[in-house]
Amino acid sequence: MMRRFGSRLFDQAFVRSGPIRWLVVGGTLLIAAIAVGATLMAQNFRERALRNSGRELENTVLMLAHHFDQQLQDFAVIQRDFVDHVRATGIRDAEDYRRRLSGQDVHRMLRSKIEALPYMGGVNVIDADGNLVNSSTAWPAPKVNVADRAYFRTFKYDPHSPDVLIEPLHSRISGAWTILIVRKIPGPNAEFLGVVGRGIEPANFEKFFASVVLGEGATISMLHRDGTLLARYPLSSELMGRNFKTGPFSQQRVFGLDHFAGRFVSPVDGEDRLISSRALPHFPILIMATMTRAAALTDWREQIRILISVAASSALAIAGVLIAIVRKLLEQHRLSRERLMLEMQRLDRAVNNMTQGLLLFDSERRLVICNQRYIDMYGLSAATVKPGCSFHDIIAHRKATGSFTGDVDDYVARVLSGVHVRNAMVVDTSDGRSIQIVNEPLADGGWVATHEDITERRRIEARITHLAHYDALTDLPNRTMFHEHLRQELAAITEGEQIAVHYIDIDEFKGVNDALGHLVGDELLKSIAQSLRRCAGPADFVARLGGDEFAIVQSAVTSPDQVNDLVARVFQAIRTPFDCMGHHLTADASIGIALAPEHGEVLDQILKNADMAMYAAKAAGRRTYRFFEPDMDAKVRERRQLEIDLRHAIAHGGLEVYYQPCLGLKDDRITGCEALVRWRHPERGMVSPAEFIPIAEDTGLINEIGEWVLATACRDAANWPDDIRLAVNVSPVQFKSGTLALKIMAALAASNLPASRLELEITEAVLIRDDEAALAILHQLRAIGVRIALDDFGTGYSSLSYLHRFPFDKIKIDRCFVEDIAGPDGSASIVQAVVNLAGARRMTTTAEGVETEEQQRLLRALGCSEMQGYLFSAAKPADKMLELFALHRSRLARREGSESRRREAG
């Protein structure tokens, strides 16, 4: 059926179209070419498979011939050595030969020679009568006579016999087939004295043959040049000793050649075989390997199956493609008419479902096509707006229905005057819509007009434009619009007036985000933005620059009082409590003010100066404002230079570590030392830590400084007395790195300082920023034995929850409480409260900044554990610490001795 169907398709193709006829002929020729090519390739593969198999046989016999030739030569050396031994010992006749070679010493000599060559088998010595007189395999030698053996008779009775004979026979010693290799031993006058020989069992050769993989049906044989089979794999006992030189000439000529490769029918199994033989170079032995032709062509048959499958698949694929193409071509004519009708339907459907109104006019200004969208867009009547009506009629109908406002004749004249070129216009309808009209001229003089409602697009574009210039959170102008406005104001400054640029940075805003979350923080920013908008004047421009930074451009400034009044209104507005999602929050700000043109006439300069003034307000303690001053620029440059010098000092070892001892108030003993970093500048001298530590924290250099101080201090403290601890300050910035615990463990390991002697001093700022992460790190450090002290307690939030959530080892009382501890309204009660709190939590207390004996006495009376300050000692370099420890211990010893003597005298 398939053939009849295909034939019918081909007949139709030949009848209807010449190109189809050539297509079919070409496909047929291609299928024929595939068949011929596959046949030639199969023949080529077959010859190649036979050549490869023949080459494999040749390589095999070459390797075996070299191998066994070397083995037989090894034994030939032993035989020659034995003959030389006979000559050297001066044996004169057969009786002397029998007597002198039958001893145990000769047996041991033979055995020692053969032990080095385990594959050789036994060595036997036979006298002129054929009796075995000695053997390497047994002692004494068994009674064996070989006088009837053919090789013995040849040696004894044929004076022209060769020196060496090789013969397969049944051994009278082992009883198995043996390949005997014997050498004649002549006397002093060339008379026959005996033979020395050895037997090699064919199994030794066959075992080696079996290790050579040639495939199923392959054989490897060892034959004498006279045609006698010596060994064979696979083993065939009935073939051993059989002579194969008696066959046809093609079989006989193998034994006359040193190397032979070809094919013949095997006399053993009658199989057509590939054969390769090679003679041993030094012995009359052939190595022969054969393989059946069927085995040699095994891979070829697999290739042929694949080749036939590929060729058949290709032919079927070509035939299928031809059938599909012919069917397709035959159907095209029928489908072309249907396609035309379908395309007309689709065009009509597409035109009437467009989002745009479509009108097509001819060169006579009359309507050809109008889609439904145009009718619906303007609420027109399809009975009026139909093919054949004029453009003027359509506009007049729109006027009558209320979708067009204006003069009909003027509008029609204006449109018709420009339809010869592409043009676009946007018109607004009476119901508030925006319609974009595009007129596209046609080659025949007509045109296509599209009407698109772009009302929503304009609204979206306006929204995008707004978002590009206004802050999404506060709806204030953003940084981009701020720059544009300021640039315009700078260009429009009149004489006698100035512009004030206020940079406003909300103080401690990050604390609100961290404590209450970003949602509350966003509500606070929106409230601040509304307050700034209200307090600014009608001509002032308020913008959000990003984050917690705002700016106000105050125009037409004629006196400083105007600026001060605005600043006062700003502070009053943002300091008023805000209700943010149930939280009553107050804010404050640092404000920097720059005046133009007094402080700059270009945008970048005035912005830079306002920014510097704002940072000056922050440096002054925040919650205030500063006008730009020229020396602020110098301070910024100085700070930058100080940062550069600090980086150089870190890189080139310009920092030092000083140590300030901590004194116990109960026994006046030194309990520990605090490591303090010092910077000896080559030009400035000693730079105060209050100057460079903030720079290091702002730039992140504090991580390098802190790591270096920790490693250096641990190394120095390892040489101190074991009862003196080391205290090291840790910056909040170091906690943010996340690797603080690993660095501390590395420093302790490198210095061999016990963890129990290290005390880390942290401030509450560490816990405020990310208390959960910080507490986790502190617990890791406590787990390895490091002590933790809370520094500057009482100067920050002083949240008691931290003391409850983490068991600090020590609380350090800030120097501000120690300074006025002796006053009538001093801080003694505060210190007492801290001491009591620490005692309840089993913590020690250390008072900082103790400079008078009165302060020391009061602290001791209040129960403070330790003191630290200039009263006892200022910070000292590392090389002075051991001297200080020794001097202090000496003073204590003298004082204790004096007190002891006073007690004894009393």
Side-chain angles (χ1 to χ4, degrees), residues 78 81-82 85 101 104-115 136:
I78 295 175
D81 288 347
F82 187 79
H85 171 74
L101 295 184
Q104 190 172 4
D105 57 333
V106 175
H107 166 74
R108 285 194 295 268
M109 178 190 70
L110 294 175
R111 185 172 181 178
S112 65
K113 288 180 178 293
I114 208 66
E115 282 178 350
S136 65

Side-chain angles (χ1 to χ4, degrees), residues 613-682:
M614 185 265 289
Y615 277 104
K618 283 184 173 292
R622 304 176 186 266
R623 298 173 178 81
T624 186
Y625 69 98
R626 287 289 184 271
F627 283 90
F628 171 75
E629 298 175 1
D631 64 343
M632 289 180 180
D633 194 18
K635 290 181 180 178
V636 170
R637 288 196 299 270
E638 181 182 359
R639 186 181 187 277
R640 177 59 181 162
Q641 185 59 47
L642 197 62
E643 178 187 340
I644 294 173
D645 294 345
L646 179 58
R647 291 182 184 275
H648 184 271
I650 294 172
H652 297 87
L655 300 180
E656 303 175 25
V657 180
Y658 277 45
Y659 301 94
Q660 185 174 33
C662 185
L663 189 70
L665 291 174
K666 291 184 179 180
D667 53 6
D668 289 336
R669 296 185 181 276
I670 297 176
T671 59
C673 293
E674 180 180 359
L676 303 171
V677 64
R678 294 291 184 263
W679 179 15
R680 193 183 304 277
H681 195 279

Side-chain angles (χ1 to χ4, degrees), residues 57 128 250 272 438:
L57 291 176
S250 59
D272 186 5
V438 178

Side-chain angles (χ1 to χ4, degrees), residues 658-662 673-674 676 678 850 868-877 880-881 884:
Y658 277 45
Y659 301 94
Q660 185 174 33
C662 185
C673 293
E674 180 180 359
L676 303 171
R678 294 291 184 263
V850 180
Q868 186 177 356
Y870 285 169
L871 177 63
F872 177 69
S873 173
K876 295 181 179 295
K880 301 293 184 182
M881 295 309 297
L884 174 65

